[in-house]
Amino acid sequence: MENGAKKWGFQGKQGLDAASATNVRGYFNRLMGNISQDNSSVVVPLGHGDPSHFPSFRTTPAAEDAIVDALRSAKHNCYATTVGILPARRAIADYLNRDLSYKLTPDDVYLTIGCNQAIEVVTAVLSRPGANIFLPRPGYPHYEAWCAYNHLEMRHYDLLPEKGWEVDVDAVETLADENSAAMVIINPGNPCWNVCSYEHLNKVAETARKLGILVIADEAYDNLTFGSTPYVPMRVFGLTVPILIMGSISKRWVAPGWPYGGLSQVIPMAFFKNLG
């Protein structure tokens, strides 16, 4: 080489490139890129998932004022702890405790840069050699991407359209073995927008307890529901099975450019007392 170096010793990691490319926007952009430029038809981008682009959707001024007040307070310009600042974690714990018979503490909350990073953290933590995880089909492709990156074996269970996209609980049981670590349930559903009933979530929790696996409850769309089925958070079953909740402010507050999400572990001491 002209610069005298025999060979450069650095290069990108191929697995990371693949993981970052496997997402909803990636597939959507690929489809849009295949549209013929000679086609004069009007294309309506139904895959556009960011309502903040349109003037009819705005976050509440209360949220904007809270951000401004926090910035001007000069109390949050320092390095934060890796799990997130205490006032934020306490506020999240208090919010989650509103419908619980047991109490979570700020130590049960871990703040991340959006829910996607929460997925990255969880798959990395669970990826011990030989471990496997159950993912819904159809589901959110970010899970597949990071499971593949972290060499965490994926086993898919189907959602049943004839039953309102409920979890095929019987299939989950057939997938399990001694290396099964967790199952992911997305409620409200993405991409099917189903809302699981209390009875069905209870059945999921009982199945996970029977199999001895963790439930990862992706609730990024919590309370954004349509139809007559009321939304039930998975955390109400925290005395039945260990639950890891993943949530986000971006959807509910119409602010996807504010990447703030978090993990909440729902494994109260009362759960361990209940094991007997």
Side-chain angles (χ1 to χ4, degrees):
M1 301 177 66
E2 293 183 1
N3 58 11
K6 294 187 297 183
K7 180 181 179 182
W8 292 111
F10 59 86
Q11 58 181 320
K13 188 172 183 178
Q14 187 174 2
L16 185 59
D17 290 340
S20 62
T22 307
N23 54 62
V24 174
R25 291 187 189 88
Y27 291 129
F28 175 71
N29 292 336
R30 192 181 306 172
L31 290 171
M32 296 296 290
N34 285 327
I35 296 176
S36 172
Q37 299 300 316
D38 298 328
N39 191 339
S40 60
S41 301
V42 176
V43 178
V44 180
L46 296 179
H48 199 300
D50 186 352
S52 65
H53 275 275
F54 306 98
S56 55
F57 294 97
R58 289 288 304 273
T59 190
T60 174
E64 297 172 342
D65 292 343
I67 295 293
V68 172
D69 291 344
L71 288 174
R72 289 179 173 170
S73 72
K75 296 179 180 179
H76 309 291
N77 294 335
C78 57
Y79 286 116
T81 60
T82 56
V83 296
I85 62 174
L86 180 60
R89 291 185 288 117
R90 180 182 292 116
I92 293 172
D94 290 344
Y95 170 78
L96 297 176
N97 282 333
R98 295 188 307 173
D99 51 6
L100 295 179
S101 59
Y102 53 87
K103 297 302 178 185
L104 301 175
T105 72
D107 291 337
D108 294 313
V109 178
Y110 184 102
L111 298 181
T112 58
I113 306 173
C115 200
N116 279 343
Q117 192 197 18
I119 295 172
E120 298 167 20
V121 171
V122 168
T123 53
V125 169
L126 294 178
S127 59
R128 60 176 173 78
N132 61 72
I133 186 173
F134 308 150
L135 303 179
R137 182 173 50 200
Y140 183 48
H142 208 68
Y143 287 98
E144 279 85 355
W146 284 98
C147 284
Y149 175 72
N150 287 304
H151 306 290
L152 178 59
E153 181 188 349
M154 295 169 273
R155 298 184 179 183
H156 290 87
Y157 65 84
D158 289 327
L159 301 180
L160 304 174
E162 68 276 12
K163 293 186 177 181
W165 301 101
E166 287 186 347
V167 174
D168 187 345
V169 177
D170 293 335
V172 170
E173 292 200 38
T174 64
L175 292 172
D177 61 23
E178 67 277 5
N179 291 316
S180 299
M183 70 172 292
V184 174
I185 180 169
I186 306 175
N187 181 51
N190 179 10
C192 299
W193 276 104
N194 55 302
V195 181
C196 296
S197 67
Y198 179 96
E199 293 75 19
H200 183 61
L201 291 176
N202 184 54
K203 189 174 182 180
V204 169
E206 291 288 354
T207 301
R209 177 188 176 95
K210 176 181 177 181
L211 300 176
I213 60 175
L214 175 72
V215 174
I216 300 171
D218 185 326
E219 298 177 346
Y221 291 93
D222 68 327
N223 291 293
L224 297 178
T225 61
F226 302 91
S228 58
T229 304
Y231 168 69
V232 178
M234 195 72 200
R235 60 184 177 272
V236 302
F237 304 101
L239 297 181
T240 300
V241 66
I243 299 169
L244 197 62
I245 303 166
M246 291 197 282
S248 170
I249 67 169
S250 64
K251 309 299 187 301
R252 194 172 181 184
W253 293 90
V254 197
W258 301 357
Y260 213 60
L263 300 169
S264 301
Q265 59 176 3
V266 183
I267 315 176
M269 288 305 298
F271 168 78
F272 296 102
K273 295 178 182 178
N274 211 34
L275 286 178

